[in-house]
Amino acid sequence: MERKHNPRLTDNARTLRKNMTKEERHLWYDFLRTYPVRFLRQKVIDNYIADFYCHDARLVIELDGSQHYEKHQQVYDAIRTERMEERNLTVLRIPNNEVFRHFREICDYIDLRVKEAVDR
């Protein structure tokens, strides 16, 4: 049976949790941490580390910085998203610059997607 995650990434995930970007901190501390459906930070899934993960909603949230617009990173992200979707996960990609500009709208969108998924 295939493993759910790569245990070699656990230490890296722990380091990323301790060193979140300002956008990740904002979304985590001002919304996801106290959200009524549990989210995890820097969750190892397969050979990847998802920024945020909600098991109940089968939802991954990725905050994308400017490097995600480079061609090689777009290819990597597409493969990564495809791999997660093969596990029946939904991946939401949110540009970093939108976190501060449209924070309330992003929170409402995440809330809607979680409720849709949990109510199925």
Side-chain angles (χ1 to χ4, degrees):
M1 179 174 201
E2 185 180 0
R3 295 184 89 103
K4 284 184 171 181
H5 72 277
N6 181 343
R8 291 176 290 165
L9 294 177
T10 302
D11 286 341
N12 192 22
R14 189 175 297 117
T15 299
L16 290 171
R17 277 193 294 277
K18 292 178 183 178
N19 298 298
M20 290 190 294
T21 67
K22 63 184 176 186
E23 294 83 4
E24 289 170 340
R25 282 193 306 274
H26 183 34
L27 187 59
W28 176 252
Y29 287 109
D30 298 329
F31 182 64
L32 295 176
R33 182 174 64 122
T34 58
Y35 190 75
V37 180
R38 184 175 184 217
F39 273 87
L40 299 173
R41 298 176 290 159
Q42 306 302 334
K43 172 69 174 161
V44 178
I45 301 171
D46 285 332
N47 290 312
Y48 307 105
I49 301 173
D51 291 338
F52 301 101
Y53 171 69
C54 178
H55 175 77
D56 291 345
R58 312 276 310 149
L59 182 67
V60 170
I61 299 172
E62 290 292 325
L63 299 185
D64 291 343
S66 60
Q67 71 276 14
H68 290 269
Y69 299 103
E70 296 173 9
K71 183 64 178 166
H72 72 279
Q73 187 65 43
Q74 289 177 335
V75 170
Y76 175 81
D77 287 345
I79 293 167
R80 175 185 168 118
T81 296
E82 182 179 321
R83 182 73 178 131
M84 290 188 186
E85 288 173 345
E86 287 171 0
R87 291 197 168 275
N88 199 29
L89 299 173
T90 299
V91 178
L92 301 182
R93 292 196 163 278
I94 300 169
N96 270 350
N97 60 355
E98 295 297 312
V99 172
F100 287 101
R101 272 200 257 166
H102 301 289
F103 185 70
R104 180 51 31 211
E105 292 86 351
I106 288 170
C107 295
D108 290 343
Y109 179 63
I110 293 168
D111 181 55
L112 175 68
R113 297 300 300 264
V114 169
K115 287 177 179 172
E116 288 174 347
V118 171
D119 289 341
R120 284 187 213 168

